[in-house]
């Protein structure tokens, strides 16, 4: 078995030819993709994609950046029995940009957490400059999932893990002067997942180019060195983590 890219956006908005991106990654040994939606249109696209490609799993959901957009939440109920839709995402809080409505972000975040809880579905969490609110809100719901692109302290990572979350590691870890290395090293291997966040966050030495799931391998090399384990071991453990979190014992999915 190959590697799994636990978080990517293989959408038309970013790639002229999604099929060739998938095939290139497969030929390099990356053969499972969790494709994340971020609004209503991309949720529909993900539904189409998972139908077309065996290798693709998907999420549907409304990202905080699109909090003001119209989103018909019926889409969750209509696709409740779709076995290829394995999480609610990408959802969360992003206080980075000016002009956002904090209240609206919190409202749609809670609404989707409630659906995830009801469906017993994992969630994909995006949290930027909003750690305390994210932790506080997550504590109100019985949900587990992936903390996508984790960038906090070891203490924060432990809080998430205690709640049943897995820590997502991507190309950011390969950046020079990235302080995250010391934090990640201390997190048990069975609590991490590898992700690219393609087309964003391209790892070194490819920074500046568009990211693709192929680069899971560069991230894996870096992380296996960091932990002092072989690439095979890292691949095996992270695949198992993915299966446990997303594919086993998940409610109606
Ligand atoms: Ni993302």
């Amino acid at each position: 078995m190959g590697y799994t890219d636990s978080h990517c956006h293989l959408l038309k908005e970013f790639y002229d030819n999604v099929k060739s991106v998938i095939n290139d990654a497969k030929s390099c040994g990356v053969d499972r993709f969790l494709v994340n939606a971020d609004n209503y249109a991309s949720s529909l696209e993900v539904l189409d994609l998972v139908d077309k490609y065996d290798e693709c799993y998907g999420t549907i959901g409304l990202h905080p950046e699109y909090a003001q957009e119209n989103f018909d939440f019926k889409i969750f109920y209509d696709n409740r029995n779709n076995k290829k839709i394995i999480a609610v995402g990408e959802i969360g809080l992003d206080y980075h940009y000016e002009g956002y409505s904090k209240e609206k972000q919190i409202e749609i975040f809670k609404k989707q957490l409630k659906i995830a809880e009801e469906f017993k579905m994992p969630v994909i969490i995006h949290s930027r400059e909003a750690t305390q609110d994210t932790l506080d809100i997550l504590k109100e719901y019985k949900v587990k999932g992936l903390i996508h692109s984790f960038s906090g302290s070891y203490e924060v990572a432990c809080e998430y893990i205690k709640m049943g979350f897995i820590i997502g590691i991507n190309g950011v870890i390969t950046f020079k002067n990235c302080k995250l290395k010391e934090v990640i090293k201390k997190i048990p291997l069975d609590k991490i997942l590898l992700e690219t966040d393609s087309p964003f966050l391209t790892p070194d030495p490819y920074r500046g180019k568009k990211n693709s799931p192929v680069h899971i391998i560069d991230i894996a090399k870096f992380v296996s060195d960091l932990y002092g384990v072989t690439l095979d071991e890292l691949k095996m453990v992270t695949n198992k983590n993915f299966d446990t979190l997303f594919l086993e014992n998940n409610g109606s999915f």
Side-chain angles (χ1 to χ4, degrees):
M1 189 173 204
Y3 292 95
T4 304
D5 186 348
S6 306
H7 185 108
C8 54
H9 303 271
L10 303 183
L11 303 168
K12 288 180 208 141
E13 184 187 349
F14 306 117
Y15 300 98
D16 293 336
N17 190 342
V18 170
K19 188 178 182 174
S20 75
V21 174
I22 292 171
N23 286 337
D24 287 351
K26 278 172 68 185
S27 66
C28 293
V30 184
D31 60 11
R32 283 198 304 187
F33 314 89
L34 180 47
V35 182
N36 277 242
D38 45 23
N39 60 10
Y40 195 75
S42 57
S43 292
L44 292 177
E45 202 182 321
V46 167
L47 283 165
D48 190 45
L49 199 75
V50 298
D51 207 32
K52 264 201 200 122
Y53 300 101
D54 283 350
E55 307 80 356
C56 291
Y57 292 92
T59 76
I60 49 184
L62 184 59
H63 188 287
E65 223 180 299
Y66 297 98
Q68 309 293 341
E69 270 195 29
N70 283 329
F71 189 93
D72 185 356
F73 289 87
K74 201 168 152 281
I75 195 170
F76 289 110
Y77 295 88
D78 290 346
N79 294 285
R80 197 176 175 155
N81 296 316
N82 186 332
K83 292 209 168 2
K84 299 291 292 296
I85 299 296
I86 57 175
V88 173
E90 156 176 4
I91 64 172
L93 301 172
D94 193 324
Y95 298 165
H96 181 71
Y97 296 105
E98 272 173 49
Y100 64 83
S101 159
K102 206 169 174 174
E103 291 69 32
K104 184 74 186 164
Q105 284 195 17
I106 291 174
E107 180 200 316
I108 60 151
F109 185 33
K110 287 186 169 183
K111 197 165 176 175
Q112 293 178 96
L113 286 170
K114 199 159 178 280
I115 291 170
E117 187 178 51
E118 183 192 335
F119 288 11
K120 296 192 173 57
M121 255 190 119
V123 290
I124 309 292
I125 300 297
H126 171 107
S127 175
R128 194 176 183 196
E129 292 170 28
T131 304
Q132 198 52 54
D133 280 3
T134 306
L135 283 167
D136 291 345
I137 291 170
L138 285 178
K139 277 176 192 151
E140 295 171 26
Y141 300 87
K142 211 170 155 264
V143 289
K144 56 184 181 169
L146 168 67
I147 305 298
H148 153 57
S149 198
F150 176 78
S151 63
S153 67
Y154 177 65
E155 289 68 31
V156 170
C158 290
E159 280 221 52
Y160 282 130
I161 290 168
K162 236 193 299 172
M163 287 193 272
F165 284 87
I166 297 260
I167 303 298
I169 305 175
N170 54 40
V172 171
I173 192 118
T174 68
F175 298 171
K176 229 185 237 164
N177 305 323
C178 169
K179 293 192 187 94
L180 200 57
K181 295 177 194 93
E182 296 310 309
V183 173
I184 296 297
K185 241 170 34 184
K186 291 192 271 181
I187 297 173
L189 262 185
D190 66 345
K191 300 297 177 200
I192 64 163
L193 278 173
L194 304 177
E195 53 169 49
T196 61
D197 201 23
S198 295
F200 314 108
L201 305 177
T202 313
D204 265 342
Y206 308 99
R207 258 181 115 170
K209 293 186 183 153
K210 188 182 279 187
N211 203 0
S212 106
V214 168
H215 291 307
I216 273 291
I217 294 162
D218 303 290
I219 298 164
K221 280 180 187 150
F222 196 93
V223 172
S224 70
D225 281 349
L226 195 66
Y227 276 92
V229 296
T230 64
L231 267 174
D232 268 348
E233 189 180 347
L234 181 69
K235 181 167 71 178
M236 205 186 67
V237 176
T238 50
N239 277 335
K240 188 169 176 288
N241 296 346
F242 184 89
D243 293 350
T244 309
L245 177 59
F246 293 114
L247 303 181
E248 294 161 12
N249 313 316
N250 284 318
S252 44
F253 285 81

